[in-house]
Amino acid sequence: MDTIKIIIAGVGGQGIILASDLLSDAAMNAGYDVKKSEVHGMSQRGGDVVSHIVIGKKVYSPLISFNEADFIVSFEKIEALRNIDYIKDDGTMIINNMQILPLPVASGSMDYPKNSIEEIKKIVKKTFIINAEEEAKKLGNIKVMNIVILGFLSKHIKVIERKYWDKTLKEKLPQKIFDINYKAFEKGYTLE
Amino acid sequence: MKELLSGNEAVARGAFEGGVHFACAYPGTPSTEILENMSKYIEVKSQWSVNEKTALETALGASFGGMRALVAMKHVGLNVASDPLFSAGYIGAKGGLVIVSADDPGMHSSQNEQDNRNYARAAKIPMLEPSDSQEAKEFTKIAFAISEEFDTPVLLRLTTRISHSKSIVELKEREMVPIKGYEKDIKKNLILPAHARLLHKKVEERFKKLKELSNDFKYNYIEYNDKKVGIITSGISYQYAKEAMPDASFLKISLTWPLPDLLIKEFAKNVDVIYIVEENDPFLETEIKSMGIDVTGKELIPIVGELNPYIVKVSLGVLKPYTPKNIEVKAPPRPPALCPGCPHTSVFYVINKNRLIATGDIGCYTLGALPPLNAMDTCVDMGASITNAIGLEYALKKNDDKRKIVAVIGDSTFYHSGITGLIDMIYNGSKATVIILDNSITAMTGHQDNPGTGKTLMGEETQKVDIENVVKGLGVKNVKVVDTYDLEEVDRTIKEESKKDELSVIIARRPCMLIPEMKKKKFDKYQVDETKCTGCQMCVKLGCPAISFDKTEKKAKIDYDLCVGCSLCFQVCKFNAINKI
Ligand SMILES: Cc1ncc(C[n+]2csc(CCOP(=O)(O)OP(=O)(O)O)c2C)c(N)n1
């Protein structure tokens, strides 16, 4: 393994920062060097959020270039589309089947692309669609959607063994919300 | 112990480990989290200042008293603090004084991408530039040591990618540094011309010694590899260049001012060609060229915008430009917007409706400039709304232009630099209307307390500075306070006050919906009665993210989860098609 490059994309408020923090911590706990980068600021006001995470023996840049990402995890359907140029040829795309209308769409001046998933599948062979929102609702708290997605992703990142994920979740999540988040992770981990 | 820290967290940690006694800042992306994290170390007195100038002067005061002091700001904040910066360069630092400037190449959330390395050169003070979080922590500690040893303030320059990227940091214990104590020393601390003339000489001598330091500095180092290509770089650019040309020889500069001239000359002798990889200005390039060394920099590397590994690789010719993937569908943009229930919305709705000229300012409310509100004409720098109005008002008058001007400014911005402008208005007889958008928090940068909230950074209660009293105390006669959820009142007040041939101040008050007390409150949500909706889109013009318009059905819709029940859409609907659930 040289490096593993992961992009997590979505919309402000979806829990992307926490998910990418946990992923980075799990990688560190597994003994790897890791860097992650995201831009805060305007994105807090309903804009899109992107987090880049690079894991390896030695990592220089925290930023990922076009055609380099091993994984793109998109918390919202069209954010996968927005970042598609970053996926490498045999990369894996994980798309949460959720739709959040951007303002130009909501106000009726633009359309929300209808067939984005089919179009992405044409380009990225390894594309997984998951319904994390539904799973989180079933668990009784929509807020753990990000952890369901993280659980699903974790299964695909073979270099981080499950025990490091468990250690990270235990260390980083407040006691009060640990149980539901652990369940959410487990749910994501076992999703097909 | 190892931990993943952002650059900002690492600076706070470094200051803590380095025995800092006092820290202050005015918030500003990407620097804000430095002080937010400082406040977690209860051994250190940390506070929000009212602006960057007051912050630097406060920190200098602590340094006069022999304390180690840290002050942080975003790049444009250093413009505001530049007056004391230059003085501090002469005065020096009894207690270590570290000034953190977080620059924003790419302007992720700034109005320009000025390169604050230029300030180090102009103020003749040393500058350190970390290239990851471990260095950010280390360099903060080193900066205090340099500051005290060389009797100088030290600039620590971060960029957005350093501030907001996380990497692994090794944590250490806090060093116990005694407070040196205050002693009167007017030859140093009171810069009359007579004293300053002597101090300037000292500054030039200090500069020579700092140059020696730079040549011996452990973090200015050469990595010889293939000697056909040499790269000189600093900060985050080092990481990009390492990825672009892993086999090249490198001179990594961490103390970027003054530059290590001998080291640079040695490197130049040993490699065939030199590329300079740096973000924004050709700072290293200009200096190194002036040493008579042939280097290539901005000819290849863009001056505009943020760098990344891709740009560096393509610029250096080691990668072919990328051809975008062949995909038909495109993602519509997701511009930031005022939140559902934002207390600023109604004011902009009214400004737009009444076609007023609005000189604007910087904060969440600058988003009122975007469609569909389109309610702002100018945005220059913090505080400029008020003072721009003074000049523009005069220009309109001389041109027989009858349009009315409102200056729109947030509460934090008003404390930062609006008050002096308002005094200017009064003094010079302005008849404009100032609208202070008081959402009782500094929202844009992530909800920091300010003089109006009655709380300090450390969470203590403190005396509130009441905007109404300030404005009345200055002598403004027309002062109105409106609740921004009452659209009719907002509309009437703005119309009445802007018509007056006198200066007016309207305080448009309602707390931000995102502060914890407001989030806890429950409001009745609203829905659209489709049988009554005519598709007129009046509600859509509010720009509320909870409201969408279905083009095929020609009906407005309100997203139940997003609605916070502000009732503005209910108030604008002429057909009673919106009602409480
Ligand atoms: C000189 C300077 N310092 C700091 C900033 C960063 N900044 C932009 S807006 C803002 C605060 C605005 O707060 P407020 O006026 O209360 O408006 P709100 O965002 O709450 O609507 C800050 C600190 C800046 N742009 N310029």
Side-chain angles (χ1 to χ4, degrees):
Chain A
M1 167 186 129
D2 203 8
T3 52
I4 296 180
K5 300 186 171 182
I6 303 158
I7 289 177
I8 303 184
V11 180
Q14 283 192 301
I16 287 169
I17 311 273
L18 177 64
S20 65
D21 272 345
L22 292 171
L23 165 58
S24 307
D25 272 310
M28 180 179 77
N29 285 333
Y32 294 105
D33 190 11
V34 54
K35 283 188 180 167
K36 83 146 192 161
S37 178
E38 69 246 330
V39 168
H40 327 188
M42 286 293 209
S43 51
Q44 290 182 345
R45 305 285 166 269
D48 45 280
V49 180
V50 187
S51 183
H52 288 199
I53 302 111
V54 185
I55 300 165
K57 279 221 162 57
K58 166 82 188 146
V59 177
Y60 288 106
S61 165
L63 287 179
I64 298 166
S65 303
F66 301 129
N67 236 344
E68 277 189 359
D70 298 278
F71 294 92
I72 291 184
V73 186
S74 187
F75 281 37
E76 201 273 356
K77 275 195 300 188
I78 57 167
E79 295 314 310
L81 204 53
R82 201 185 306 287
N83 289 284
I84 186 123
D85 281 317
Y86 289 93
I87 196 86
K88 68 177 193 192
D89 289 341
D90 59 345
T92 302
M93 193 61 117
I94 296 169
I95 304 175
N96 182 32
N97 198 3
M98 184 182 185
Q99 178 168 315
I100 300 174
L101 300 187
L103 204 59
V105 175
S107 66
S109 64
M110 284 178 116
D111 293 316
Y112 192 94
K114 290 205 172 56
N115 51 346
S116 64
I117 287 180
E118 290 70 48
E119 291 297 320
I120 289 170
K121 277 183 171 167
K122 279 188 210 160
I123 293 183
V124 187
K125 294 284 159 310
K126 281 187 266 174
T127 296
F128 298 91
I129 313 296
I130 58 172
N131 289 309
E133 191 186 12
E134 212 173 281
E135 299 299 340
K137 271 189 191 149
K138 275 193 231 156
L139 290 167
N141 189 346
I142 173 80
K143 284 203 183 119
V144 300
M145 183 185 86
N146 58 344
I147 306 300
V148 175
I149 301 172
L150 191 67
F152 187 80
L153 170 69
S154 74
K155 201 170 49 175
H156 293 268
I157 302 180
K158 303 253 159 35
V159 298
I160 305 175
E161 286 174 54
R162 175 64 192 260
K163 64 180 179 196
Y164 298 115
W165 288 101
D166 288 354
K167 175 174 151 59
T168 303
L169 294 174
K170 257 204 203 85
E171 280 172 4
K172 291 290 163 181
L173 293 171
Q175 187 88 56
K176 237 176 34 197
I177 56 163
F178 175 77
D179 282 345
I180 180 145
N181 276 285
Y182 194 79
K183 273 187 206 144
F185 190 86
E186 192 60 40
K187 184 78 229 173
Y189 194 79
T190 49
L191 268 185
E192 277 315 308
Chain B
M1 200 177 78
K2 279 184 178 163
E3 211 171 313
L4 265 168
L5 296 183
S6 71
N8 284 347
E9 290 169 322
V11 168
R13 179 73 200 185
F16 167 77
E17 290 180 8
V20 74
H21 304 103
F22 178 81
C24 61
Y26 181 70
T29 315
S31 71
T32 311
E33 299 83 4
I34 297 173
L35 256 281
E36 286 178 335
N37 281 285
M38 253 351 297
S39 71
K40 293 180 192 154
Y41 302 107
I42 48 165
E43 297 87 340
V44 184
K45 164 96 174 130
S46 299
Q47 62 193 43
W48 290 128
S49 301
V50 174
N51 66 37
E52 292 85 355
K53 175 172 143 70
T54 66
L56 177 47
E57 290 158 352
T58 306
L60 182 59
S63 166
F64 283 155
M67 276 186 160
R68 288 198 160 180
L70 177 119
V71 53
M73 59 201 69
K74 71 181 287 166
H75 59 337
V76 291
L78 198 53
N79 300 336
V80 177
S82 61
D83 201 0
L85 175 74
F86 282 76
S87 296
Y90 276 30
I91 289 168
K94 181 170 187 190
L97 176 60
V98 176
I99 303 161
V100 187
S101 164
D103 293 10
D104 191 16
M107 297 168 276
H108 294 284
S109 39
S110 305
Q111 66 268 42
N112 76 26
E113 53 181 346
Q114 69 186 54
D115 187 331
N116 278 3
R117 292 178 298 176
N118 295 305
Y119 269 118
R121 178 165 49 196
K124 301 169 191 273
I125 58 179
M127 167 173 273
L128 286 158
E129 281 191 274
S131 62
D132 60 20
S133 298
Q134 177 67 39
E135 285 189 352
K137 194 200 78 166
E138 229 39 65
F139 291 6
T140 307
K141 287 161 91 169
I142 293 171
F144 280 111
I146 293 177
S147 174
E148 286 176 4
E149 187 184 340
F150 292 85
D151 193 6
T152 176
V154 176
L155 270 165
L156 182 74
R157 178 184 182 248
L158 312 175
T159 54
T160 300
R161 286 298 159 193
I162 298 295
S163 287
H164 286 174
S165 293
K166 286 195 171 184
S167 55
I168 299 172
V169 176
E170 179 80 47
L171 306 187
K172 291 270 160 59
E173 296 291 307
R174 176 168 164 90
E175 201 182 305
M176 284 322 215
V177 179
I179 299 171
K180 289 180 188 162
Y182 177 69
E183 266 166 277
K184 185 167 172 173
D185 184 357
I186 61 164
K187 286 222 170 76
K188 186 167 154 56
N189 298 337
L190 193 154
I191 49 171
L192 286 171
H195 297 164
R197 282 181 201 116
L198 297 173
L199 287 171
H200 187 186
K201 264 193 211 146
K202 270 174 68 182
V203 167
E204 299 304 331
E205 281 157 25
R206 179 180 78 196
F207 190 75
K208 279 185 211 145
K209 290 192 195 124
L210 284 165
K211 228 175 188 170
E212 283 169 28
L213 169 77
S214 190
N215 279 312
D216 294 335
F217 190 56
K218 158 169 139 190
Y219 291 95
N220 288 344
Y221 57 84
I222 295 174
E223 299 167 327
Y224 282 121
N225 223 322
D226 177 0
K227 291 189 177 172
K228 282 205 263 322
V229 178
I231 292 178
I232 303 181
T233 181
S234 68
I236 191 72
S237 305
Y238 167 77
Q239 311 290 0
Y240 304 155
K242 272 301 243 194
E243 219 177 276
M245 288 195 158
D247 299 327
S249 293
F250 275 77
L251 168 55
K252 180 188 188 286
I253 303 184
S254 302
L255 185 69
T256 21
W257 193 255
L259 284 172
D261 53 348
L262 302 179
L263 206 58
I264 292 168
K265 282 178 189 153
E266 181 197 321
F267 187 66
K269 246 188 266 159
N270 288 302
V271 294
D272 296 347
V273 291
I274 296 179
Y275 296 116
I276 309 259
V277 181
E278 59 186 326
E279 230 161 18
N280 291 147
D281 288 356
F283 180 84
L284 301 174
E285 183 181 346
T286 310
E287 288 298 324
I288 294 170
K289 276 183 173 161
S290 79
M291 291 162 58
I293 297 169
D294 187 24
V295 297
T296 308
K298 291 296 152 185
E299 236 173 88
L300 300 176
I301 308 281
I303 198 164
V304 176
E306 189 186 25
L307 296 182
N308 60 39
Y310 171 75
I311 295 174
V312 173
K313 283 176 198 170
V314 173
S315 303
L316 293 177
V318 295
L319 184 73
K320 276 209 252 47
Y322 167 76
T323 338
K325 290 194 168 54
N326 190 5
I327 186 158
E328 298 276 298
V329 283
K330 288 274 171 290
R334 205 181 277 285
L338 292 175
C339 304
C342 174
H344 301 330
T345 300
S346 61
V347 170
F348 291 117
Y349 184 80
V350 167
I351 290 175
N352 183 25
K353 200 180 97 192
N354 292 301
R355 309 242 166 272
L356 298 167
I357 295 176
T359 50
D361 226 301
I362 307 193
C364 281
Y365 51 95
T366 315
L367 295 169
L370 303 179
L373 292 165
N374 301 313
M376 200 175 279
D377 287 62
T378 62
C379 170
V380 179
D381 67 300
M382 289 188 81
S385 56
I386 294 181
T387 31
N388 283 163
I390 306 174
L392 182 57
E393 184 189 11
Y394 185 66
L396 291 182
K397 192 175 157 196
K398 279 288 159 195
N399 206 29
D400 243 351
D401 189 332
K402 297 275 184 288
R403 281 177 290 177
K404 294 288 181 190
I405 301 178
V406 292
V408 188
I409 186 166
D411 52 334
S412 186
T413 310
F414 182 69
Y415 297 116
H416 178 282
S417 47
I419 297 175
T420 26
L422 188 59
I423 296 172
D424 204 327
M425 267 189 163
I426 298 166
Y427 178 53
N428 287 303
S430 167
K431 296 175 170 57
T433 300
V434 176
I435 304 174
I436 302 171
L437 296 165
D438 181 10
N439 61 353
S440 310
I441 203 81
T442 312
M444 174 88 256
T445 42
H447 300 93
Q448 291 75 31
D449 282 294
N450 69 41
T453 66
K455 277 242 173 70
T456 68
L457 170 60
M458 305 293 269
E460 298 146 344
E461 302 277 324
T462 184
Q463 189 184 329
K464 271 191 198 181
V465 178
D466 184 76
I467 296 179
E468 230 168 303
N469 284 341
V470 170
V471 173
K472 284 187 177 155
L474 293 177
V476 179
K477 290 193 200 80
N478 305 302
V479 182
K480 295 276 152 65
V481 181
V482 295
D483 175 357
T484 58
Y485 276 6
D486 185 341
L487 192 62
E488 201 278 321
E489 189 192 12
V490 172
D491 189 41
R492 181 168 34 81
T493 311
I494 293 181
K495 267 196 211 132
E496 276 173 15
E497 296 305 314
S498 61
K499 269 196 202 116
K500 280 186 188 160
D501 206 24
E502 269 183 333
L503 174 62
S504 300
V505 172
I506 301 168
I507 302 167
R509 179 170 289 150
R510 189 160 257 277
C512 173
M513 286 306 292
L514 295 180
I515 61 178
E517 300 94 87
M518 295 305 285
K519 271 186 166 169
K520 269 185 234 137
K521 287 194 187 167
K522 288 270 174 285
F523 297 92
D524 292 326
K525 295 176 185 257
Y526 286 79
Q527 66 187 5
V528 176
D529 178 346
E530 298 205 352
T531 58
K532 290 189 186 157
C533 178
T534 63
C536 75
Q537 299 193 50
M538 282 301 277
C539 55
V540 177
K541 292 208 179 96
L542 287 165
C544 173
I547 301 177
S548 59
F549 187 70
D550 191 320
K551 276 194 291 191
T552 40
E553 289 177 39
K554 299 225 170 354
K555 303 279 175 204
K557 288 207 163 70
I558 298 173
D559 184 306
Y560 178 82
D561 291 325
L562 291 177
C563 177
V564 295
C566 74
S567 86
L568 286 181
C569 54
F570 164 77
Q571 295 177 51
V572 297
C573 183
K574 293 203 172 82
F575 303 95
N576 295 324
I578 293 176
N579 41 51
K580 261 189 202 165
I581 296 177

